[in-house]
Amino acid sequence: MEKLWTGRFHKALDSQVNDFNSSISFDSRMYAQDILGSIAHATMLQKGGILSEQDAEQIVSGLQAILEDIQSGALQIDPTAEDIHTFVEAELTARIGDVGKRLHTARSRNDQVALDLRLYLRDQISEVAALVRALIEAVTDKAEEHAETVVPGYTHLQRAQPIVFGHHLMAYAMMLLRDLDRLHDCNKRMAVSPLGSCALAGTTYATDRAFSSKLLGFEKPCENSMDGVSDRDFAIELASAISILMMHLSRFSEEIILWCSWEFKFIELDDAYSTGSSIMPQKKNPDIAELVRGKTGRVYGNLITLLTMLKGLPLAYNKDMQEDKEAIFDSLDTVKQCLAVFAPMIATMKVLGENMRRAAAGGFIGATDCADYLVKKGLPFRTAYKIVGEIVAHCIENGLTLETLPLAEYQKFSPLFAQDVFAAIDLDACAKKRISYGGTSPDSVRRQVQYVREALQTAE
Ligand code: ARG
């Protein structure tokens, strides 16, 4: 395919350089955005009298036909084209003749590519957001089911205090809700049109950038043409929001992997969402969670690629910026794949409440409540803490637990202990009486569920 810029050159491009320079293999996915951007541009040119009505009509219908033909498969994108912008323009000219060459008036590929990328990423944000929502719903439904299922809460991966499993899950729902918010937030700054910035300096034609911006669903045109063509912070912001989202999924994955182990056995993944081993017949592996955890690394890598690619670039456009696309596209593809399997994995997992309960009963998980018991009887917390520490040490030495230690023994440590201590350290009571706002009590978990469902309803 002939280059757009052959006029100044005496020789064809070296074929290896051609391959090296070409971006069609990855920017062809923006064909629809490229064509819609061109339609808006031609419409604007016609409105301003820069293109005749007849020329504009031919261009617009030619572009619409190209879009339909690519969508239907009737037109294949030429893999030897330099990029998607070149391909569409050349195809248009091949179809409608010289009038097609008028489309690129008052525009450059520099503002065109910045526009296409923003349009494409805006569409992608909606897709990712829909998947995040579905995951939040799955997590929230599971949490509601398990608003009373007692499980150990951990710090330092040591049993700390009893909680209900729904509370643990709702912590992830809150993180994911912020991820959703971050995605919407990216969209706010992405909703600014660079179209009409031209190569870098704007144009002498009487363009109406506000008009083309509106046609494409942007909030407004960008204020500075150099910024419009040079900036990719919108892609970095999205790569960063996706990285944070992946970090949350990765933490969640790590827990799922632990919970599936025989050491925990808190959950069992559905057969459709786990895999077997080629040699060990007993194995049921949490591959999805492991892959999500593993893929988080490449998503972080893409963020660093983008930050590093831009950090030394002088204004305005430099070809380095062509490297933006593969990185952000890979982050999007990866996060979408992960979310698509994560939500049904959560929805179908079996929660083994009995095992959770057994683990919660095993440690000295009621120790804080035992100390609080003494505080309620008048002791300062520090003193109570020390007494309970001594009781725990005594139990460990004698193979006892706080539940099995006889009252008489308790009383040797403090005369304030009475029969009601056993009710105070009862597992269910310990989890369920933490009624403080945001605490683990079942009512609090149900309130959180309500909060998240309402937030999902009001979110754009
Ligand atoms: N393929 C290029 C990119 O992705 C399009 C912009 C080309 N502009 C230029 N001045 N060479 O960045």
Side-chain angles (χ1 to χ4, degrees):
M1 179 179 280
E2 202 196 348
K3 294 280 174 285
L4 294 172
W5 34 264
T6 45
R8 191 207 181 286
F9 290 79
H10 300 299
K11 263 186 175 181
L13 192 64
D14 174 89
S15 77
Q16 278 198 61
V17 174
N18 188 50
D19 293 346
F20 183 66
N21 193 47
S22 164
S23 54
I24 191 87
S25 63
F26 49 86
D27 65 17
S28 57
R29 64 161 86 190
M30 305 191 301
Y31 73 86
Q33 289 78 14
D34 192 76
I35 293 171
L36 295 173
S38 290
I39 291 175
H41 183 62
T43 310
M44 182 280 290
L45 291 177
Q46 189 260 310
K47 178 179 168 269
I50 304 164
L51 268 186
S52 71
E53 205 163 305
Q54 201 188 356
D55 287 352
E57 261 168 35
Q58 260 189 288
I59 290 176
V60 170
S61 54
L63 287 167
Q64 272 159 348
I66 294 174
L67 179 59
E68 281 161 27
D69 289 350
I70 298 177
Q71 275 162 346
S72 71
L75 173 64
Q76 299 294 318
I77 295 174
D78 178 1
T80 66
E82 187 177 335
D83 53 34
I84 189 62
H85 329 294
T86 313
F87 172 76
V88 172
E89 195 183 323
E91 179 65 25
L92 181 68
T93 305
R95 289 183 180 209
I96 65 170
D98 273 2
V99 61
K101 296 182 179 169
R102 295 186 187 276
L103 169 63
H104 213 55
T105 314
R107 184 176 75 164
S108 149
R109 270 188 301 166
N110 297 349
D111 57 342
Q112 197 177 349
V113 72
L115 173 75
D116 293 2
L117 189 59
R118 281 181 185 255
L119 287 172
Y120 181 81
L121 297 184
R122 294 191 73 195
D123 291 344
Q124 290 291 309
I125 287 176
S126 314
E127 283 188 29
V128 178
L131 289 163
V132 174
R133 270 173 173 276
L135 176 56
I136 296 176
E137 282 162 11
V139 171
T140 305
D141 290 350
K142 257 299 159 218
E144 190 176 39
E145 263 175 60
H146 294 283
E148 313 235 354
T149 308
V150 174
V151 67
Y154 295 81
T155 62
H156 312 270
L157 206 57
Q158 301 285 321
R159 290 172 194 163
Q161 288 175 347
I163 56 170
V164 293
F165 189 53
H167 193 54
H168 197 125
L169 291 177
M170 286 314 290
Y172 283 108
M174 301 300 170
M175 294 176 221
L176 292 165
L177 200 56
R178 288 194 295 279
D179 288 319
L180 192 59
D181 204 37
R182 260 185 286 274
L183 289 170
H184 290 317
D185 214 44
C186 289
N187 206 7
K188 278 188 212 153
R189 277 172 292 279
M190 219 174 285
V192 175
S193 170
L195 183 59
S197 296
C198 304
L200 76 164
T203 182
T204 54
Y205 293 97
T207 50
D208 185 348
R209 296 192 50 220
F211 179 70
S212 54
S213 153
K214 201 156 170 230
L215 286 181
L216 290 165
F218 287 103
E219 296 284 311
K220 56 176 188 176
C222 65
E223 301 294 329
N224 180 300
S225 60
M226 292 185 80
D227 180 41
V229 291
S230 316
D231 149 58
R232 293 290 183 272
D233 60 12
F234 60 90
I236 296 181
E237 202 175 336
L238 179 58
S240 157
I242 296 174
S243 296
I244 299 173
L245 167 55
M246 285 297 295
M247 177 273 292
H248 288 149
L249 295 184
S250 186
R251 284 186 88 169
F252 204 169
S253 295
E254 170 66 14
E255 297 215 274
I256 286 168
I257 294 160
L258 286 172
W259 294 338
C260 283
S261 72
W262 282 101
E263 283 67 19
F264 278 81
K265 263 287 166 261
F266 285 179
I267 60 168
E268 188 171 340
L269 294 179
D270 191 82
D271 282 1
Y273 293 93
S274 31
T275 57
S277 152
S278 60
I279 171 169
M280 296 163 283
Q282 83 283 13
K283 292 289 286 293
K284 185 168 173 186
N285 298 328
D287 286 34
I288 294 180
E290 291 170 69
L291 272 172
V292 169
R293 189 178 57 183
K295 284 176 189 292
T296 303
R298 67 194 277 170
V299 169
Y300 289 0
N302 292 331
L303 172 62
I304 300 300
T305 296
L306 290 171
L307 285 166
T308 313
M309 181 272 285
L310 275 178
K311 72 181 268 294
L313 294 189
L315 300 186
Y317 179 83
N318 301 266
K319 193 66 176 238
D320 314 46
M321 291 159 77
Q322 179 165 291
E323 289 288 307
D324 57 3
K325 283 173 271 310
E326 283 166 292
I328 189 65
F329 292 168
D330 183 69
S331 285
L332 285 165
D333 295 347
T334 306
V335 77
K336 285 195 295 179
Q337 274 184 337
C338 292
L339 289 164
V341 288
F342 211 92
M345 175 182 74
I346 297 294
T348 56
M349 77 183 185
K350 199 159 126 201
V351 173
L352 306 174
E354 276 312 303
N355 294 349
M356 290 181 169
R357 194 185 175 78
R358 206 171 304 123
F364 291 90
I365 211 158
T368 315
D369 295 274
C370 190
D372 286 341
Y373 170 88
L374 291 177
V375 170
K376 281 173 195 150
K377 300 243 166 167
L379 278 191
F381 183 78
R382 263 309 138 225
T383 316
Y385 172 97
K386 185 158 181 282
I387 292 171
V388 177
E390 285 162 7
I391 296 175
V392 169
H394 173 82
C395 288
I396 292 171
E397 276 156 32
N398 295 283
L400 292 164
T401 65
L402 291 181
E403 291 76 17
T404 53
L405 183 73
L407 180 60
E409 296 279 316
Y410 268 105
Q411 285 167 339
K412 285 187 192 153
F413 291 90
S414 166
L416 293 175
F417 281 116
Q419 188 59 37
D420 57 355
V421 66
F422 295 104
I425 59 166
D426 173 75
L427 204 51
D428 288 276
C430 288
K432 292 175 187 171
K433 73 193 175 192
R434 289 193 157 76
I435 53 166
S436 58
Y437 191 83
T440 188
S441 73
D443 281 350
S444 165
V445 171
R446 289 188 192 105
R447 197 201 54 80
Q448 295 172 50
V449 166
Q450 184 74 8
Y451 171 88
V452 167
R453 286 184 182 151
E454 273 166 25
L456 283 184
Q457 253 168 29
T458 52
E460 306 132 78

